[in-house]
Amino acid sequence: MIAGTTKVFCVIGDPIEHSLSPAMHNAAFRHLGLDAVFVAFRVDRKNLEHAVKGIRSLGIAGVNVTMPHKTAIISYLDELNKEAEFVGAVNTVLNAEGKLVGFNTDGIGAVRALKESGLTLKGKKIVLIGAGGAGKAIAFQLAQEACELRILNRDGEKAKQLAAKLERKFNTKILGNSLSQATLKECIKDADVLINATSVGMQPNHNQTPVDRELLKPGLTVMDIVYNPVETRLIREAKSAGANVVYGTEMLIFQGAASFEIWWKTPAPVDVMRKALSDKLCRGGA
Ligand SMILES: NC(=O)c1ccc[n+]([C@@H]2O[C@H](COP(=O)([O-])OP(=O)(O)OC[C@H]3O[C@@H](n4cnc5c(N)ncnc54)[C@H](OP(=O)(O)O)[C@@H]3O)[C@@H](O)[C@H]2O)c1
């Protein structure tokens, strides 16, 4: 029951109506009997600063941040954790007694989704396509996993710069190159894991795929972080080629679980969040 003591959490973005965060977090709050509620606010770009002032003045306990505010919100926060600072984007804010701290849980969510699928990352050859916000966050986490990382991006300079920055930071060898079917072929031939962190294949372009079907093979694990549609063309073709697959919804669940754990300092009920997400998707969310 909502009462005077109820803690308020929210997600801000524009558009926001199809956000899956309220379903996941409210299910988790209910399951653990937490006196809290999670709501969604559509915030126009020009109102972002006011919205952040509102978070402070209303004492909103925690916030998820989605498009288009992930980068713009930084200038209104008090502090960033190391992932958010490296990536230059925030998807989670903790209101620590009036101090607003920004986090980025996308990379943590992706790596946890891979590990929970049964993969050990140490020593694995991983091809990451995409060096946008999500790609950077994932690369930042993978660079700390003692795997062999190769980053490919349509704008090759972005991939090279990201690889060089990570090499300097973590003293590890990382390849960065432009994305083409030729560079993909070269990188995938002995790879263990392929991650799509581009938006290729996302609605309304669900007939597109960033990787030719003939490059997919048994023994390869393919993760597509696109979750709308849940079953992307890349995932469909990976399955038909005999590869193992990890869905974008798994990353979504684990990035949400990581936000929950930042806010509550207690393990998130991941299965409850997964069920809430799947129920919501069945009802036509996202
Ligand atoms: N599952 C999850 O929890 C989760 C979390 C975050 C994001 N996502 C999804 O991940 C995707 C990327 O999000 P983002 O925030 O990283 O977006 P972003 O910052 O805009 O980056 C987009 C990325 O896609 C690449 N790209 C776009 N169109 C392309 C094309 N036609 N061919 C090749 N590459 C193309 C871009 O390459 P250039 O740099 O060359 O432009 C860039 O690497 C979105 O679909 C988003 O919904 C999922």
Side-chain angles (χ1 to χ4, degrees), residues 161-194:
Q161 279 170 19
L162 176 60
K165 203 169 157 192
L166 287 167
E167 281 191 334
R168 283 195 299 277
K169 186 162 183 67
F170 295 112
N171 194 21
T172 175
K173 184 100 198 72
I174 296 173
L175 177 130
N177 207 346
S178 55
L179 173 67
S180 67
Q181 292 308 311
T183 53
L184 261 176
K185 188 174 182 181
E186 181 58 29
C187 287
I188 291 181
K189 74 175 184 238
D190 62 347
D192 303 292
V193 182
L194 169 73

Side-chain angles (χ1 to χ4, degrees), residues 29-239:
F29 296 171
R30 268 194 305 277
H31 178 76
L32 295 176
L34 299 169
D35 181 14
V37 66
F38 193 107
V39 291
F41 291 125
R42 188 175 77 76
V43 174
D44 193 87
R45 174 66 189 89
K46 67 177 188 311
N47 286 324
L48 181 61
E49 184 174 2
H50 295 300
V52 178
K53 282 184 179 154
I55 290 164
R56 289 180 196 278
S57 55
L58 298 173
I60 290 177
V63 183
N64 273 152
V65 184
T66 186
M67 301 305 289
H69 303 316
K70 284 178 156 189
T71 297
I73 197 168
I74 288 176
S75 53
Y76 309 122
L77 301 178
D78 301 311
E79 209 174 286
L80 295 183
N81 87 329
K82 60 182 189 324
E83 283 91 1
E85 192 170 321
F86 182 89
V87 177
V90 161
N91 72 346
T92 303
V93 177
L94 170 70
N95 187 346
E97 288 167 19
K99 185 166 80 175
L100 298 187
V101 187
F103 296 80
N104 188 310
T105 65
D106 280 341
I108 294 162
V111 165
R112 197 161 156 205
L114 286 170
K115 288 183 177 171
E116 298 272 339
S117 79
L119 260 183
T120 309
L121 296 177
K122 192 171 176 202
K124 295 289 189 314
K125 295 182 173 65
I126 302 187
V127 182
L128 171 68
I129 322 173
K136 260 194 220 165
I138 296 170
F140 183 83
Q141 291 304 319
L142 288 176
Q144 301 170 64
E145 290 286 339
C147 52
E148 201 181 292
L149 182 58
R150 300 151 186 186
I151 306 168
L152 301 177
N153 194 53
R154 178 175 62 178
D155 174 349
E157 267 320 297
K158 263 163 80 174
K160 285 177 192 164
Q161 279 170 19
L162 176 60
K165 203 169 157 192
L166 287 167
E167 281 191 334
R168 283 195 299 277
K169 186 162 183 67
F170 295 112
N171 194 21
T172 175
K173 184 100 198 72
I174 296 173
L175 177 130
N177 207 346
S178 55
L179 173 67
S180 67
Q181 292 308 311
T183 53
L184 261 176
K185 188 174 182 181
E186 181 58 29
C187 287
I188 291 181
K189 74 175 184 238
D190 62 347
D192 303 292
V193 182
L194 169 73
I195 303 168
N196 174 38
T198 75
S199 47
V200 179
M202 189 172 130
Q203 291 287 23
N205 302 313
H206 58 271
N207 284 328
Q208 294 178 1
T209 174
V211 183
D212 282 351
R213 159 77 173 77
E214 72 210 33
L215 300 182
L216 305 171
K217 56 186 184 186
L220 185 70
T221 294
V222 177
M223 175 159 97
D224 195 344
I225 78 161
V226 172
Y227 58 83
N228 181 18
V230 173
E231 186 97 4
T232 59
R233 179 173 161 194
L234 174 62
I235 289 283
R236 261 199 328 275
E237 293 186 347
K239 277 174 155 178

